[in-house]
Amino acid sequence: MSTKEILPFLTWAGGKRWLVNNHSEIFPLKFNVYIEPFLGSGSVFFHLKPQKAVLSDINGDLINTYLALKMDWQNVYKHLKVHQRKHSSDYYYKIRGSNPRKLETRAAKFLYLNRTCFNGIYRVNKQGKFNVPIGSKQNVILDTDDFEEISSRLKNVLILNDDYESVINRANRDDFIFVDPPYTVNHNENGFIQYNEKLFSWADQIRLCEALVRARNRGAQIMVTNANHESVRNLYKEHGFEYQIVSRFSGISSKAKGRKKYEEIIVKSNF
């Protein structure tokens, strides 16, 4: 496999580009299959360049985009160039409201909206329709795009649109599970976390932790990123996990005072 550095092709709230840039030493040096049940932008996958991997996310639009790039990146890129040429406010809302049928046109729509919407946020309304307004960025095609290499990296990867527990249940001895769930805590104190709670409840956090305990007992290597909150720390401590605290910069807020350093925990086991 090529050792070329590939940057994630998506902007993703909670993405782990900062983690691989600042803490690359925390990842295991050897493992069998790489497993990621909350894929998002795939920063850790692209950084580690695993030979074998299982990638999954419950977001069907996201997974369709990975599948389209794996199978037919040229057609995705062709449609993306059309979006670049036609991009305007009217065009953005026209595409946002469209419902393309082919996998490659759905993927190009997803990429176009991700790159031109406000702060790269993914949010849907109660009807499941993407509803983020247009942002200030104009570039639909990026200098860092290397869809051919991305397609190559995904060639031998199993890509799923599945529940995180069933994905974690695939892990065996010496596999490496990297888990970056939506951040929710037992006592909400943060607006972004409150939005996540609609998608990922505290009961989900418990179910996730219990699935990871079973994987740990099977001999899998585990790393979890999560909010540095007492309820999260206690959940993993009670199940015998160790953790460390790291800081990151959050650029999600539209107000400057909301963009500040946040602490997260890194939970590790079996390496």
Side-chain angles (χ1 to χ4, degrees):
M1 180 182 287
S2 168
T3 58
K4 185 191 295 186
E5 287 300 317
I6 291 292
L7 293 176
F9 57 88
L10 294 169
T11 301
W12 208 251
K16 289 297 171 286
R17 212 175 288 196
W18 66 272
L19 184 66
V20 300
N21 287 342
N22 299 304
H23 302 283
S24 62
E25 75 287 349
I26 68 174
F27 298 104
L29 296 175
K30 290 184 178 180
F31 53 86
N32 185 20
V33 181
Y34 175 81
I35 298 173
E36 186 167 0
F38 302 93
L39 179 54
S41 64
S43 297
V44 174
F45 166 76
F46 288 116
H47 170 70
L48 291 178
K49 310 178 187 70
Q51 296 293 318
K52 294 180 283 186
V54 178
L55 305 178
S56 182
D57 202 285
I58 202 65
N59 184 327
D61 292 334
L62 174 75
I63 290 302
N64 282 338
T65 301
Y66 277 90
L67 286 170
L69 288 174
K70 174 182 177 177
M71 296 186 292
D72 191 6
W73 70 268
Q74 294 99 330
N75 252 326
V76 177
Y77 185 60
K78 181 182 75 175
H79 290 291
L80 209 55
K81 286 195 288 187
V82 173
H83 292 323
Q84 172 77 74
R85 191 172 69 247
K86 295 186 175 182
H87 178 58
S88 68
S89 181
D90 288 345
Y91 184 76
Y92 174 87
Y93 289 104
K94 174 187 173 184
I95 296 301
R96 194 183 77 169
S98 69
N99 187 26
R101 298 171 69 178
K102 291 184 178 179
L103 187 65
E104 64 269 21
T105 49
R106 297 208 307 271
K109 173 189 172 180
F110 185 85
L111 273 165
Y112 168 61
L113 295 178
N114 177 262
R115 292 176 171 189
T116 56
C117 75
F118 175 74
N119 273 5
I121 292 170
Y122 184 88
R123 185 187 65 209
V124 297
N125 61 21
K126 290 179 180 178
Q127 289 74 43
K129 301 291 186 183
F130 183 81
N131 66 352
V132 180
I134 193 171
S136 58
K137 292 182 178 177
Q138 301 293 314
N139 290 334
V140 179
I141 305 292
L142 306 180
D143 292 340
T144 55
D145 285 338
D146 190 344
F147 295 130
E148 183 174 11
E149 180 64 24
I150 288 165
S151 180
S152 176
R153 296 277 173 94
L154 295 172
K155 185 177 179 181
N156 296 317
V157 171
L158 178 61
I159 302 175
L160 303 171
N161 176 209
D162 213 345
D163 176 76
Y164 57 88
E165 185 175 359
S166 67
V167 177
I168 291 168
N169 287 345
R170 291 172 170 265
N172 296 304
R173 178 171 298 279
D174 296 327
D175 292 344
F176 173 45
I177 313 170
F178 176 71
V179 184
D180 181 32
Y183 289 5
T184 46
V185 299
N186 208 8
H187 307 287
N188 273 316
E189 300 168 343
N190 175 290
F192 186 63
I193 287 177
Q194 284 173 5
Y195 171 71
N196 280 346
E197 193 176 48
K198 300 171 189 173
L199 309 172
F200 202 79
S201 67
W202 183 249
D204 278 311
Q205 291 282 7
I206 295 171
R207 182 163 71 97
L208 170 63
C209 185
E210 290 172 346
L212 291 170
V213 168
R214 296 193 300 273
R216 178 188 65 192
N217 294 343
R218 294 194 301 273
Q221 301 178 72
I222 293 162
M223 182 184 295
V224 186
T225 58
N226 216 312
N228 181 27
H229 187 273
E230 182 182 15
S231 60
V232 180
R233 294 194 302 269
N234 288 342
L235 173 65
Y236 283 92
K237 275 199 298 186
E238 286 165 7
H239 287 84
F241 288 97
E242 296 181 356
Y243 66 84
Q244 64 190 87
I245 297 170
V246 295
S247 292
R248 70 172 175 87
F249 178 80
S250 174
I252 293 164
S253 176
S254 59
K255 297 176 181 175
K257 67 178 182 179
R259 294 194 293 269
K260 57 186 180 182
K261 278 202 167 184
Y262 289 91
E263 287 185 335
E264 301 190 6
I265 64 168
I266 306 293
V267 177
K268 295 169 69 174
S269 184
N270 290 358
F271 68 94

